[in-house]
């Protein structure tokens, strides 16, 4: 059974539009009036899309946000814990896609034929960066063990918002992901896999265009500008809501701007 055509659409036929019953109302529309709302393609061809409320809405692409950061950078920790995580909690999953790249201003070097890393805030930060590695490869330490973003992001939030990024792993896992084996994460961090993941994050960070100048460094839909960075730091929820092309959730009405400290410069 064909979908019922709204009276408003049928009324167009009766108005002085020069449209004969059974003919389309626009060039390329060869459908009778009762089929104008039968599909989105037909409605578009007949220029009546806005008058067919029963049509399913097209799926909007999620806003893509990538955060390049350091695990011990105060501004990074505050942005992740006070802006990014709350925004992720408030918005539906299909609206925001987040990529975390812990590396920042670290430096990569070879020592005795093996990769080594120097981090801006010392060896503890390098350890924290390895623990939080979340790059899209199957063996990524925390991501591999936690399986999905909705499991490992709360753990990372717990680490970044707590007193110690490197010493609270066990406690954070017990609270947010008790099914994840901390021993396997530790083995990854201490083995070749953790080094390989840090190297991957180094490559991702070094490939940024324009090159990152500080952390946190934020890209939105693959782009970084001073304006986007300032908007994300001032009101991330508001920025995502403005950019999303689909139906806005109620949370988009709650956006409030908060100020954050300057990023960790080189």
């Amino acid at each position: 059974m064909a979908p019922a055509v709204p009276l408003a659409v049928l009324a167009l036929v009766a108005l002085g539009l020069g449209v004969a019953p059974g003919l389309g109302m626009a060039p390329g529309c060869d459908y009778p009036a009762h089929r104008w709302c039968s599909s989105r393609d037909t409605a578009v061809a007949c220029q009546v899309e806005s008058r067919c409320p029963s049509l399913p809405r097209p799926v909007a692409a999620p806003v893509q946000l990538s955060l390049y950061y350091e695990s011990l950078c105060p501004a990074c920790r505050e942005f992740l814990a006070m802006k990014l995580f709350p925004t992720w909690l408030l918005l539906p999953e299909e609206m925001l896609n987040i990529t975390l790249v812990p590396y920042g201003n670290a430096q990569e070097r070879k020592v005795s034929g093996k990769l080594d890393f120097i981090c801006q805030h010392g060896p503890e930060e390098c350890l924290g960066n390895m623990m939080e590695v979340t790059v899209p490869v199957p063996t990524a330490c925390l991501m591999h063990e936690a399986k999905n973003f909705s499991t490992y992001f709360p753990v990372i939030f717990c680490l970044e918002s707590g007193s110690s990024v490197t010493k609270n792993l066990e406690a954070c896992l017990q609270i947010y992901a008790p099914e994840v084996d901390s021993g396997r994460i530790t083995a990854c961090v201490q083995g070749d896999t953790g080094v390989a993941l840090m190297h991957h994050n180094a490559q991702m960070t070094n490939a940024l265009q324009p090159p990152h100048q500080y952390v946190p460094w934020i890209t939105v839909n693959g782009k970084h500008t001073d304006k986007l960075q300032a908007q994300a730091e001032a009101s991330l929820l508001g920025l995502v809501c403005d950019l999303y092309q689909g139906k806005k959730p109620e949370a988009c009405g709650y956006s409030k701007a908060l100020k954050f400290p300057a990023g960790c410069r080189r």
Side-chain angles (χ1 to χ4, degrees), residues 148-206:
N148 59 70
F149 187 86
S150 62
T151 300
Y152 65 72
F153 191 32
V155 178
I156 291 176
F157 159 75
C158 178
L159 293 171
E160 292 292 349
S161 60
S163 58
S164 173
V165 172
T166 58
K167 297 177 181 178
N168 291 339
L169 177 62
E170 189 70 42
C172 289
L173 285 174
Q174 288 179 3
I175 296 171
Y176 291 103
E179 72 278 13
V180 177
D181 184 353
S182 64
R184 298 185 64 166
I185 296 175
T186 301
C188 170
V189 170
Q190 295 174 347
D192 293 339
T193 301
V195 173
L197 296 174
M198 279 284 282
H199 175 63
H200 185 86
N201 279 3
Q203 292 179 313
M204 292 180 66
T205 303
N206 294 335

